[in-house]
Amino acid sequence: MSRIAFIGLGNMGAPMAQNLKNAGHDVAGFDAMDAARQAAVAAGLSVADNGTDAVNGANVVVLMLPNGKIATDVAREVLPAMAKDSLLIDCSTIDVESARGLHALANEAGVLSLDAPVSGGVGGAAAGTLTFMVGGADEAFEKGAPLFDVMGQKAVHCGGAGAGQAAKICNNMLLGISMIGTCEAFSMAKKLGLSQEKLFDVVSTASGSCWSVNAYCPVPGVGPQSPADNDYRAGFAAALMLKDLGLSQQAAETANAATPLGQHATQIYSAMVDAGLGGTDFSGVMNFLETFQKKG
Ligand code: NAD
């Protein structure tokens, strides 16, 4: 069993830390926000007064934080308190450059490190069914694997430093694009007098099939249950999709990769968030596109 420090007890971090504790690990949490610390204590987690106290004596430190700047600041604070050959796992979704910077900081401190962003959302975090996309050395991955097994159903070792974040933003850029494409197809079908149900029957088994159609159809009452059937309650909020698309465009710029559709998807989700719909599920772009059309 490991002694684990878990920093960032928000919507994702709190249930992940809880699952580690339930599996018998000795978990000390920390969050900068009083409300998050109090909720964690109420849920039965041990919570330290600061990051360094949580980390003292830990052989694994997990971060689940909002962005690269915060993850870097927290890593700078806690790395000096981490034992040599202990493991730092950053599960936050952050930019590839910051992720590589975290590996370098850990390396200087003699600490093993992994970037390990997740897919699966709050439901997956609670159920312990997340997918981890992991970057870092083999030795670090082997050490982290038993914890990924507790918090998730799958962990893919994608390559060296930053490869997990790269996989995450490539996947989510594709998801953002495919969701908008799906909404365009269903929206056009309606205008052409074609039933939404019939289009689903065709596309879900034809060459246009994709996860956005088959598993998460953005049309209410069509396909399996999805946020569209629940008034587009998130789910995966449009604001989080915009965050990941922004990271994808930052990475595309740095790597000189051509991503014109990724750029356009970023603009569309940005407009959706500006319209006050950031808390709506990202599949709610279905209605947002229709607003555009009425105006156009
Ligand atoms: P959240 O805002 O609920 O939680 C983040 C927590 O970090 C907050 O409780 C905040 O107080 C804490 N925090 C901020 N600065 C801190 C600091 N300096 N020290 C300690 N704690 C600090 O966010 P979330 O939904 O839990 O997401 C966490 C990460 O997971 C993000 O990077 C997000 O992009 C990613 N993610 C979220 C989802 C999702 O569906 N929510 C899905 C996949 C990935």
Side-chain angles (χ1 to χ4, degrees):
M1 288 299 119
S2 296
R3 161 80 175 78
I4 301 170
F6 204 113
I7 303 183
L9 302 170
N11 293 323
M12 296 292 289
M16 291 164 74
Q18 197 67 51
N19 284 337
L20 290 170
K21 180 181 179 250
N22 293 346
H25 295 288
D26 178 7
V27 181
F30 176 68
D31 194 286
M33 217 167 61
D34 284 345
R37 285 202 300 277
Q38 282 158 12
V41 170
L45 269 183
S46 302
V47 173
D49 290 335
N50 56 59
T52 310
D53 282 359
V55 162
N56 273 327
N59 43 356
V60 181
V61 174
V62 184
L63 308 182
M64 195 48 166
L65 296 163
N67 60 46
K69 160 121 183 39
I70 293 175
T72 305
D73 288 349
V74 170
R76 280 190 200 284
E77 179 196 336
V78 301
L79 275 167
M82 288 180 69
K84 295 264 173 288
D85 293 327
S86 58
L87 174 64
L88 176 69
I89 306 177
D90 179 28
C91 293
S92 333
T93 302
I94 66 173
D95 58 288
V96 175
E97 238 170 34
S98 296
R100 291 188 176 141
L102 280 191
H103 282 277
L105 287 172
N107 193 35
E108 278 166 28
V111 166
L112 296 168
S113 56
L114 294 170
D115 54 292
V118 303
S119 168
V122 177
T129 55
L130 295 169
T131 295
F132 288 86
M133 295 149 265
V134 190
D138 289 347
E139 187 191 356
F141 183 74
E142 276 155 31
K143 208 164 169 172
L147 304 183
F148 297 138
D149 283 347
V150 170
M151 296 184 284
Q153 61 184 353
K154 188 171 180 185
V156 181
H157 190 191
C158 300
Q165 297 293 351
K168 166 93 188 177
I169 53 168
C170 288
N171 179 75
N172 280 21
M173 183 177 76
L174 179 55
L175 175 62
I177 293 168
S178 79
M179 181 52 80
I180 294 168
T182 297
C183 292
E184 287 186 5
F186 278 95
S187 189
M188 188 165 83
K190 204 191 275 177
K191 302 240 157 160
L192 293 172
L194 170 64
S195 123
Q196 306 279 275
E197 188 63 58
K198 292 293 175 200
L199 182 66
F200 178 83
D201 282 352
V202 171
V203 173
S204 61
T205 51
S207 49
S209 70
C210 63
W211 187 87
S212 296
V213 172
N214 292 35
Y216 210 91
C217 186
V219 180
V222 178
Q225 278 282 318
S226 71
D229 300 308
N230 194 19
D231 215 10
Y232 297 97
R233 229 160 277 150
F236 183 48
L240 284 175
M241 172 52 86
L242 178 59
K243 172 191 171 181
D244 293 356
L245 284 168
L247 292 175
S248 80
Q249 292 313 286
Q250 205 177 322
E253 176 94 24
T254 313
N256 196 22
T259 59
L261 291 183
Q263 191 180 11
H264 201 173
T266 309
Q267 287 160 359
I268 290 173
Y269 276 106
S270 180
M272 186 172 163
V273 169
D274 285 348
L277 297 169
T280 303
D281 189 76
F282 81 114
S283 61
V285 75
M286 182 82 209
N287 293 333
F288 189 62
L289 284 181
E290 287 185 355
T291 314
F292 263 129
Q293 286 164 5
K294 274 176 209 142
K295 277 184 194 155

